[in-house]
Amino acid sequence: MARLLPDDATGRAAAVEVLRAGGLVAMPTDTVYGVGVALSAHDGLARLFAAKDRPLDRAIVLLVADLEQAASVGVLSPAARVLAEHFWPGGLTLVLAQAPGAQLPAVLTAGVATIGVRLPDHDSPRALARELGPLPVTSANLSGHPDARDASEVLSQLGSRVDLVLDGGPARGGIPSTIVDCSGELPRVLRPGATPSTE
């Protein structure tokens, strides 16, 4: 079974160590609980997909600490910048064209030339991303099962499939992020969610 630690400074320091060692960490976010791995971890993304029983053709979002990190992996078009300024930090994922030189693994992006990026309105994932860089994070549940809204729901679904769970109490939002594709000429809503209107 995964270690369970409070989502505080000590817990986050332990989470950074686990992530640096290539482990999987579940954490609270402003929407639902997520599970992440360091982008640099050898075979880390493969472990993340396997832990969730997630199909390999489904890309994984990067959670970032700030706008600068977002720009390091994706091209912030004028429309994307407007949306980011209005709705970040928050429950909005922007699908961006990959930044030149980003060199993101194909398994992360499902082999396409875009990347989903989100700046969450929660200190936990932002703190981890500040230490480790943009962090691949997906919902902390088995693929096709209900989203985990607290640490106990993470443990009941993922149990020993993850190394550490940060317990930050119930997720504030409980609804996954809205996804807007900003990789083309006009923004396009791909999934309605936590951000009620991006008009």
Side-chain angles (χ1 to χ4, degrees):
M1 187 63 72
R3 270 198 300 161
L4 180 66
L5 292 176
D7 179 34
D8 56 16
T10 301
R12 291 174 190 176
V16 168
E17 289 182 10
V18 169
L19 290 164
R20 283 198 173 124
L24 302 182
V25 172
M27 72 208 75
T29 79
D30 51 334
T31 54
V32 296
Y33 269 67
V35 57
V37 67
L39 192 54
S40 60
H42 178 66
D43 291 337
L45 288 168
R47 277 197 70 203
L48 185 56
F49 276 94
K52 282 179 54 78
D53 295 333
R54 185 182 178 91
L56 289 173
D57 62 353
R58 296 184 62 194
I60 289 181
V61 166
L62 292 174
L63 296 189
V64 295
D66 50 40
L67 202 59
E68 185 179 351
Q69 277 193 356
S72 74
V73 293
V75 176
L76 287 165
S77 65
R81 283 191 178 276
V82 168
L83 288 170
E85 287 168 5
H86 279 80
F87 297 107
W88 277 2
L92 174 66
T93 296
L94 299 178
V95 177
L96 308 172
Q98 287 186 42
Q103 296 181 332
L104 299 173
V107 66
L108 177 72
T109 64
V112 299
T114 57
I115 183 65
V117 182
R118 186 164 87 84
L119 177 60
D121 189 16
H122 197 292
D123 288 340
S124 188
R126 290 204 311 260
L128 299 181
R130 268 194 298 274
E131 290 291 328
L132 297 154
L135 201 64
V137 175
T138 181
S139 56
N141 60 315
L142 292 171
S143 199
H145 288 64
D147 293 312
R149 293 163 298 176
D150 60 33
S152 66
E153 291 181 3
V154 175
L155 290 171
S156 69
Q157 291 197 52
L158 298 181
S160 59
R161 296 179 179 219
V162 300
D163 301 293
L164 175 64
V165 178
L166 292 177
D167 185 355
R172 295 196 307 264
I175 301 171
S177 66
T178 300
I179 301 176
V180 178
D181 186 349
C182 291
S183 64
E185 289 192 16
L186 293 174
R188 186 167 52 98
V189 176
L190 300 182
R191 180 182 74 187
T195 299
S197 173
T198 51
E199 298 296 329

